[in-house]
Amino acid sequence: MSYLFEPQLVPALSIRGLEQRFPVHRIYCVGRNFAEHAREMGSEIDRGTPVFFCKPADAIVASGGRIPYPPGTSDLHHEVELVVALDKDAPAGRLGVDDADALIFGYSVGLDLTRRDLQARAKSKGLPWDTAKAFDASAPVAELLDKEAFGALATKQLWLDVNGERRQQAPLSDMVWDVPAILVELSALYRLRAGDLIFMGTPAGVAALQTGDRFRAGLDDLITLEGEIVA
C-alpha cells in the first residue's frame, strides 16, 4: 500500500520504567464530574447521565512541553484531571462494572485546556463544544504509571499550581462517577480500544492561563506534569 503523502506518526506517551511507549487511539473526556466545578460553571450534576466529549489524539503534549496560546480565544482555562489509559479492547456491548478494571493499564495526570469564551458562546446557543475543547495542544499529559503503583485512587489528591500558586486541589473521592462507572457508560456509546485515554473531569478552581505562565500538576507526589504557555 502507498499513501498520497506521508502519514503522521501515531501520538504516544512515555511509560515510567519502560522503553515502550503507549500509542494513543482516542481521547474521551468527562464533563461535570466534580460537583463544585459544575456549580462554579453554573450547572448542576445529573447523576444519571455523565457528559462526554472528545479531543483529537494528536492534541497530547508531553510533560515539559511549551504550549502555544491557541488562536481564536482570549480566555484560555486550565482544568487538571486524572487520566486513565486502557491497554485492552473492551468486548462488544455494554461493559460490566466488574470487568472494567481489566482494561486499565495505568494512570496519569493531564490538563483539559479549554477556550472558555468559545465554550460559553456555544453553550448559550445550545451548540457543541468542539471548538472550545478539541484544538491543537489542548491535552498536556504526564508520563503513564502502571495502575499497581497507585493503590486506592479515592485517597489521592489531584492538584495544580500556576506560577507557584495553588489553583486547584481535591481528592479523587470527590468524583461523581468513579473510573469503573465511567468506563461502563462509555462502553454503551463507543467500542473502547487499547490506546484510549479518558480524562476524568476537573475539580473547582478553573481559571485563566496567560502567555508566560508555568504550570505544575500532579496526583499526590506519584506523578507530575509541567509545562509553559508561550506566544
Side-chain angles (χ1 to χ4, degrees):
M1 178 187 293
S2 62
Y3 296 95
L4 181 63
F5 52 88
E6 193 67 25
Q8 296 291 322
L9 293 174
V10 175
L13 293 172
S14 61
I15 304 169
R16 186 182 298 176
L18 295 179
E19 293 185 3
Q20 296 167 308
R21 293 176 64 79
F22 182 93
V24 178
H25 176 239
R26 289 180 181 170
I27 300 175
Y28 300 104
C29 302
V30 185
R32 302 173 187 168
N33 201 21
F34 286 78
E36 290 303 314
H37 169 60
R39 292 188 188 101
E40 77 178 348
M41 299 305 297
S43 301
E44 289 299 323
I45 295 294
D46 177 356
R47 294 182 184 273
T49 309
V51 175
F52 296 121
F53 57 92
C54 294
K55 289 177 180 279
D58 64 0
I60 62 171
V61 181
S63 185
R66 292 161 57 84
I67 298 167
Y69 197 97
T73 184
S74 58
D75 197 19
L76 176 68
H77 276 211
H78 57 72
E79 299 189 8
V80 64
E81 312 203 3
L82 169 70
V83 178
V84 182
L86 308 186
D87 67 344
K88 295 179 182 64
D89 293 353
R94 194 179 183 96
L95 190 69
V97 172
D98 293 339
D99 301 320
D101 188 67
L103 304 182
I104 300 170
F105 167 76
Y107 303 104
S108 187
V109 63
L111 294 190
D112 165 20
L113 295 178
T114 302
R115 294 192 277 207
R116 190 70 72 202
D117 44 0
L118 301 191
Q119 185 187 37
R121 195 177 308 157
K123 282 182 174 181
S124 70
K125 298 178 180 179
L127 297 174
W129 302 353
D130 298 61
T131 57
K133 293 288 192 177
F135 54 93
D136 295 329
S138 62
V141 184
E143 64 180 352
L144 293 175
L145 190 56
D146 185 282
K147 65 184 177 184
E148 301 304 326
F150 281 84
L153 278 180
T155 64
K156 304 297 186 290
Q157 289 276 335
L158 188 65
W159 55 269
L160 169 73
D161 295 343
V162 177
N163 300 326
E165 295 185 2
R166 186 60 44 96
R167 292 271 187 96
Q168 293 183 266
Q169 183 169 347
L172 293 181
S173 59
D174 283 0
M175 291 192 299
V176 177
W177 294 277
D178 64 13
V179 173
I182 286 298
L183 294 184
V184 169
E185 293 298 324
L186 275 172
S187 73
L189 299 169
Y190 305 97
R191 179 75 185 273
L192 296 174
R193 302 280 190 178
D196 287 344
L197 299 178
I198 299 93
F199 279 57
M200 285 293 297
T202 196
V206 300
L209 289 167
Q210 308 294 338
T211 299
D213 282 349
R214 294 178 178 272
F215 60 82
R216 188 168 183 266
L219 196 58
D220 281 354
D221 58 357
L222 286 168
I223 197 160
T224 304
L225 169 69
E226 297 182 351
E228 180 183 6
I229 307 300
V230 300

